[in-house]
Amino acid sequence: MKQRHKTREVRIRGVGVGGSNPVRVQSMCNTDTRDVNATLAQIALLAEAGCEIVRLAVPDEIAANALAAIRRNTDVPLVADIHFDHRLALLAAKAGVDALRINPGNIGGADKVDAVVDAARDKGLPIRIGVNSGSVEKHLLERFGGPTPEAMVESALAHVALLEKRGFDAIKISLKSSSVLNTIAAYRLLAERVDYPLHIGVTEAGTLVRGAIKSSVGLGILLWEGLGDTLRVSLTHDPVDEIGVAWEILRALGLRERGPEIISCPTCGRTEIDLIGLAAQVEERLRGVEDVFTCAVMGCVVNGPGEAREADIGIAGGRGLGIIFRKGEVVRKIRGEENLLPEFMKELDSFLEERRGK
């Protein structure tokens, strides 16, 4: 892995972004921000899954006015997502959000940019400039022949200049395209020009499997090259699942760990239990567990423990028989497939109690 791209630090409600801070995991609620209770419920689920910063859409004044109640009832850092109407940014800042996501060039004239910058400076709020391939200005599309990486970078730099001109530098930048290759190229170009923290993501990546694959490839390459200070996995799916994918990307690269790593073998003609169902149920039962360890779910009582020898704890099942093992050594045998999951969960609870010193 290349040395991490050096960026300056900004802080979002005490959470450090950029500089020497770890890569932060971010997502966005898909609830109606005007529905305070639904939004708070989803924020809680995101935080439980490991989300460190949550973005909220602010489409109108009703949504902006709801932000104060949301802010009072959660400690999770909140970013207000603003488009076109600078008044919404002012209302969001007044409501107590922790950062703004805007494009300074599309919220009105110079006086309106001045007002937003003054509010952000007064409240100590970073501003994230978010450029998507679909939001590149017409003159840049004509100049570069489309929403190319070069066009996206020029768009971002023009927005940055509006803030720098006003002496504001608590800035974070994102450049997102639905094209993995264009996204990678754009961030590479931008990193040569600025030292602001970078929020990385592949936008409109798709449904759960397709989106996870595109995000893993794109973000994995960028992170391997040392680029990225916050990330979002964008899925047409429950945003809570975005968090799981994000943490697995970070784990795979050795950047951060959270929760258990689940090792499970592919099924084959020798499999004699519902291994797919068992693995899915173990994964679901462990959702929300923050302890870092390896858990194996294998489909062969003969070879399973050896194939997952390094797992901290595991289960392997065959016809009418299951075994629980630790570090490749069998510790218990279980009779009956219907007993595999409940008995393994008992062993997992005991295992976690031991790790936690209870």
Side-chain angles (χ1 to χ4, degrees):
M1 187 177 297
K2 293 183 180 179
Q3 184 176 357
R4 189 168 171 191
H5 175 60
K6 292 184 179 180
T7 58
R8 63 184 72 186
E9 181 188 63
V10 300
R11 299 195 71 81
I12 303 176
R13 197 176 180 80
V15 174
V17 171
S20 60
N21 293 289
V23 180
R24 301 296 187 181
V25 174
Q26 186 169 326
S27 187
M28 184 174 186
C29 283
N30 62 7
T31 54
D32 185 339
T33 306
R34 293 165 290 200
D35 187 336
V36 173
N37 290 334
T39 301
L40 282 169
Q42 190 168 75
I43 290 171
L45 290 173
L46 288 167
E48 181 183 14
C51 184
E52 296 169 294
I53 302 170
V54 174
R55 183 159 51 112
L56 301 175
V58 187
D60 56 31
E61 287 192 27
I62 299 175
N65 289 329
L67 292 172
I70 295 171
R71 170 72 290 156
R72 285 195 301 270
N73 290 282
T74 180
D75 291 325
V76 177
L78 302 177
V79 180
D81 190 86
I82 311 293
H83 290 279
F84 306 118
D85 190 343
H86 85 290
R87 295 172 300 172
L88 300 178
L90 300 181
L91 289 171
K94 184 179 179 181
V97 299
D98 308 296
L100 301 173
R101 189 274 194 188
I102 63 171
N103 282 344
N106 68 17
I107 60 171
D111 59 330
K112 295 178 175 59
V113 177
D114 287 340
V116 172
V117 169
D118 288 344
R121 183 183 286 115
D122 181 59
K123 298 290 187 180
L125 309 182
I127 292 177
R128 173 183 148 199
I129 292 171
V131 174
N132 288 351
S133 56
S135 68
V136 176
E137 295 83 352
K138 184 177 179 180
H139 72 279
L140 292 174
L141 295 176
E142 294 173 351
R143 175 182 167 190
F144 291 98
T148 63
E150 293 80 5
M152 293 171 64
V153 170
E154 288 302 314
S155 176
L157 293 177
H159 292 301
V160 168
L162 291 175
L163 299 184
E164 291 180 334
K165 181 180 178 180
R166 292 162 172 81
F168 189 88
D169 62 359
I171 299 170
K172 187 168 71 166
I173 308 174
S174 67
L175 298 174
K176 295 184 180 181
S177 170
S178 59
S179 163
V180 171
L181 297 181
N182 283 351
T183 297
I184 294 169
Y187 280 108
R188 285 171 173 168
L189 289 172
L190 182 64
E192 295 175 354
R193 306 280 294 274
V194 301
D195 67 349
Y196 293 116
L198 302 179
H199 172 73
I200 60 174
V202 177
T203 193
E204 300 155 3
T207 52
L208 181 59
V209 174
R210 293 177 185 272
I213 291 170
K214 288 179 69 173
S215 296
S216 298
V217 172
L219 303 187
I221 289 172
L222 288 171
L223 291 167
W224 183 257
E225 294 183 357
L227 302 178
D229 299 287
T230 60
L231 66 85
R232 181 196 175 187
V233 173
S234 298
L235 301 177
T236 311
H237 204 73
D238 186 336
V240 172
D241 288 316
E242 296 180 354
I243 307 306
V245 177
W247 278 101
E248 289 305 316
I249 292 171
L250 294 174
R251 187 202 303 274
L253 292 169
L255 292 173
R256 296 185 72 182
E257 289 185 305
R258 184 184 188 278
E261 179 177 10
I262 298 177
I263 301 166
S264 57
C265 61
T267 57
C268 69
R270 294 187 297 274
T271 306
E272 296 178 314
I273 61 170
D274 178 17
L275 181 63
I276 295 173
L278 180 61
Q281 290 179 85
V282 170
E283 185 174 57
E284 181 60 30
R285 292 288 189 95
L286 291 175
R287 187 190 293 268
V289 174
E290 297 184 25
D291 303 71
V292 176
F293 61 95
T294 52
C295 174
V297 183
M298 310 299 286
C300 178
V301 293
V302 177
N303 297 322
E307 292 172 345
R309 187 175 301 279
E310 297 307 312
D312 293 301
I313 186 170
I315 185 169
R319 182 182 301 173
L321 176 67
I323 57 174
I324 296 174
F325 57 91
R326 296 191 186 190
K327 295 291 186 181
E329 298 296 326
V330 177
V331 295
R332 283 183 59 192
K333 293 185 178 181
I334 304 166
R335 297 289 179 181
E337 183 174 343
E338 71 279 6
N339 296 318
L340 294 182
L341 181 65
E343 291 302 315
F344 185 51
M345 293 314 300
K346 290 179 184 177
E347 194 71 30
L348 266 172
D349 289 341
S350 175
F351 168 79
L352 289 173
E353 288 180 0
E354 289 177 19
R355 287 178 63 91
R356 296 166 182 170
K358 294 183 179 180

